Amino acid sequence: MRAGKKAAVAAMTAVASVGALLTFGSPAQAATITKFCNHPGSIAPGCFYSTGDIFTVQDLRADGKRAVLKWTTDYGRSGECHDANGANNPPTKCNVDLREGRTLTFYTVIRNGANGKDEGHSLPMLAYTSGR
């Protein structure tokens, strides 16, 4: 029985290792292809893809307002990505060019119009540009 138990544990470990490799790729790939997203229960879903320097934000509320992702780098650059195409559509993508190997923070808000007052905000998310 003991040998059978060891074989079962070894088989489960091998399956888990292969699954992790398929999910995450090699360690070198994991360092360069990275997706950072805020909490799933946030006021609006927002993500940063370090390969390509792409932000996404999605409006999931049918309230006539827009979802905005606000970001700031560790070297003083900042910007916004707006999803103003209505609720429950695919996320809006914003492609920016950031310095490699740096950090940034981002969070999402809801806003009435492009320059309206920010209403609520998600917790800030720390992310890294590729090269790190």
Side-chain angles (χ1 to χ4, degrees), residues 19-66:
L21 184 59
L22 292 173
T23 302
F24 299 108
S26 69
Q29 287 175 324
T32 59
I33 301 172
T34 308
K35 174 182 173 183
F36 300 90
C37 293
N38 60 3
H39 186 272
S42 294
I43 196 162
C47 294
F48 173 69
Y49 298 81
S50 67
T51 301
D53 297 340
I54 296 170
F55 290 96
T56 62
V57 62
Q58 187 175 20
D59 183 1
L60 297 178
R61 297 173 179 214
D63 58 5
K65 299 177 183 178
R66 66 179 60 202

Side-chain angles (χ1 to χ4, degrees), residues 72-118:
T72 304
T73 66
D74 64 350
Y75 56 93
R77 188 168 167 206
S78 62
E80 296 182 348
C81 182
H82 294 241
D83 181 359
N85 64 359
N88 299 312
N89 288 313
T92 296
K93 292 181 183 180
C94 298
N95 193 345
V96 296
D97 187 18
L98 301 172
R99 292 182 189 168
E100 301 303 318
R102 303 302 293 258
T103 60
L104 62 97
T105 55
F106 68 89
Y107 61 95
T108 55
V109 299
I110 299 299
R111 191 181 289 167
N112 191 5
N115 299 312
K117 178 182 165 189
D118 291 351

